[in-house]
Amino acid sequence: MAGHETQDVSIGPIVKFGVGLAIATALVSVAMWGLFRWFETNQDRRQEPVAPMVAANLKRTPREPRLEPDPLAPRLAARAHEDAVLTSWGWVDRNAGVARIPIDRAMDLLAQRGLPAAKPMVAATPVAGRVPHPAPLPASGEREKAAQSR
C-alpha cells in the first residue's frame, strides 16, 4: 500500500519545543551577560597600579584587538638583556681572548688610566700601476679658465 500518510503532524509539540528553545536561549544569554560583568569587575580589582609614564605610553597604543597581548613585554625583555650584558662578566671570543667587563668597572678603569694616545693619520699612497681618481671637473665656464691658466 504505497501512498501518503493519512495522519497530519501534531503541531503542539513542535510549538512547545520552539518556545522552550527560545526561553533556554534567553536564560543562557542573560547568564553569560552576568558572568562577563562579574569577570570585568573582578579584573579591575586585581590589576596593580601602573606607573604614570607607562600609563601615558599605554594611552598611545592602538585599540583592541592588538597583535601583541602585552605590548611592553618585548621592550622590557630587550632592556633586561641589555642590562644583563652591561653589568656582567663574560667572554666575547674565548679563542681570541676577548672578554667583556661590567660598564661600571670599564668606566673606573678608563678614569684611572685615561684614553689611549691617538695614532697619527697616514696619507694613502697610490698603488703602483693604478691611476688615482681625477678631481671632479669644474662647471663649463670654469673649465675654460682652468685650461687658460695651464
Side-chain angles (χ1 to χ4, degrees):
M1 312 245 218
H4 66 281
E5 289 192 31
T6 57
Q7 234 180 359
D8 285 338
V9 176
S10 176
I11 196 79
I14 293 175
V15 170
K16 288 179 184 176
F17 177 77
V19 169
L21 186 62
I23 291 172
T25 302
L27 288 175
V28 168
S29 297
V30 169
M32 291 301 294
W33 176 80
L35 182 66
F36 280 114
R37 294 288 297 178
W38 182 76
F39 283 154
E40 189 176 8
T41 57
N42 244 6
Q43 183 180 7
D44 290 343
R45 282 188 221 144
R46 281 190 280 159
Q47 283 187 345
E48 297 175 10
V50 179
M53 290 190 70
V54 174
N57 196 18
L58 286 176
K59 286 180 184 176
R60 297 185 329 191
T61 56
R63 295 182 183 197
E64 298 284 343
R66 295 190 190 117
L67 297 178
E68 295 176 344
D70 185 6
L72 294 178
R75 206 174 324 159
L76 294 175
R79 184 64 181 263
H81 176 69
E82 290 171 352
D83 288 344
V85 168
L86 289 174
T87 59
S88 66
W89 299 80
W91 287 105
V92 174
D93 185 1
R94 186 181 292 255
N95 296 333
V98 179
R100 97 175 159 259
I101 62 174
I103 191 82
D104 293 334
R105 179 68 179 137
M107 288 191 299
D108 292 341
L109 290 173
L110 186 63
Q112 290 172 2
R113 299 177 186 169
L115 290 172
K119 296 179 182 178
M121 297 288 289
V122 179
T125 57
V127 178
R130 290 186 73 194
V131 178
H133 284 4
L137 294 174
S140 62
E142 296 175 11
R143 284 184 200 161
E144 296 167 2
K145 292 177 187 175
Q148 290 174 357
S149 67
R150 288 187 200 167

